[in-house]
């Protein structure tokens, strides 16, 4: 059975995952190994997505202190 034509993004993601598994010598022997790998990948992906969403909402990166449009109020 032939694989459907996939988008360039999906092909790039497949290659990134293949390289990650090779470079980190990850072997998937059972369902627990698979779940551990997927959990690690999902956490990295979600963190990146949430950071980007926050950057878009605020208009600056959380590390870009110069472009914040807030005032500093010292503690009383």
């Amino acid at each position: 059975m032939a694989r459907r034509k996939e988008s360039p993004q999906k092909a790039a993601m497949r290659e990134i995952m293949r390289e990650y598994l090779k470079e980190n010598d990850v072997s998937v022997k059972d369902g627990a190994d698979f779940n551990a790998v997927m959990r690690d990948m999902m956490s990295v992906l979600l963190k990146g997505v949430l950071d980007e969403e926050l950057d878009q909402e605020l208009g600056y990166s959380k590390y870009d202190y110069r472009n914040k449009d807030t005032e500093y109020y010292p503690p009383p």
Side-chain angles (χ1 to χ4, degrees):
M1 180 188 233
R3 183 181 291 180
R4 286 189 197 174
K5 185 176 178 185
E6 59 186 22
S7 69
Q9 294 87 359
K10 197 169 186 179
M13 184 65 87
R14 182 183 305 279
E15 186 60 32
I16 289 169
M17 289 190 297
R18 183 177 292 126
E19 288 176 21
Y20 169 81
L21 293 171
K22 238 186 250 184
E23 289 174 4
N24 294 296
D25 196 29
V26 175
S27 62
V28 178
K29 296 177 184 161
D30 58 11
D33 292 342
F34 177 78
N35 284 338
V37 170
M38 291 306 295
R39 187 174 36 250
D40 291 344
M41 288 182 170
M42 187 60 78
S43 68
V44 170
L45 180 65
L46 286 175
K47 183 178 181 336
V49 168
L50 292 174
D51 283 347
E52 184 61 30
E53 184 178 357
L54 185 61
D55 292 351
Q56 292 295 319
E57 183 67 26
L58 295 176
Y60 56 86
S61 169
K62 68 179 180 179
Y63 302 109
D64 186 10
Y65 297 107
R66 293 183 183 161
N67 290 323
K68 283 187 176 181
D69 190 23
T70 60
E71 304 221 359
Y72 174 71
Y73 297 106

